[in-house]
Amino acid sequence: FRLFHGTERSIARSIIAAHGFDERCASLGGLYGAGTYFADCACKSQQYAVPHQDETFTMLISRVTMGGAYPTTRQHVDQRRPPDNPDTPGRPFDSIFALSGRANGGKQQHNEYVVFASAQAYPEYLITYTLG
C-alpha cells in the first residue's frame, strides 16, 4: 500500500527520512497499540501533522506492507504487537487494520493501518504543504 503518515517536520526530515520508522518510539497509548500508524486518507494523517513556524505542514507517503492483518473491532491500548493469529499458533498477526465504521465499537471514521516492525514501512515521499 501507499499510505499517509502525518508528523512534525523535524521528525520527518531528521529521523524518519534518514533512518526509517522506529516502532520502539511508538506510544503505548495508541488506540491500536504501540505501532506506527498510517491512513489511506490524507485528512486523517493531517490530524497528526504539526504546523511549522512558516505555517506549512509535513506528511509522508510511505510504502507499507501489512502481511497478515488483524481486522480489529476493538481497542488495543498498551499492546506492543498485534493479537495472536489462530492460523499460526504462537505467532501474532503482522499488523492491525482498523476499518472505518467497524473498529472501535463502530466509531472509527477513517481506515487506519498499524504496523509493529520497522521493516514493514518505507518513507517514500516527504510532502510539505499549506492549508487554505
Side-chain angles (χ1 to χ4, degrees), residues 90-112:
R91 296 193 60 197
F93 283 91
D94 298 308
S95 60
I96 290 178
F97 174 59
L99 180 65
S100 173
R102 302 242 4 223
N104 195 19
K107 298 175 190 169
Q108 185 70 28
Q109 295 183 1
H110 298 88
N111 292 335
E112 285 192 68

Side-chain angles (χ1 to χ4, degrees), residues 11-32:
I11 292 172
R13 287 186 175 173
S14 66
I15 300 172
I16 297 172
H19 305 288
F21 294 98
D22 187 346
E23 71 281 358
R24 296 172 297 179
C25 298
S27 168
L28 279 169
L31 195 60
Y32 302 113

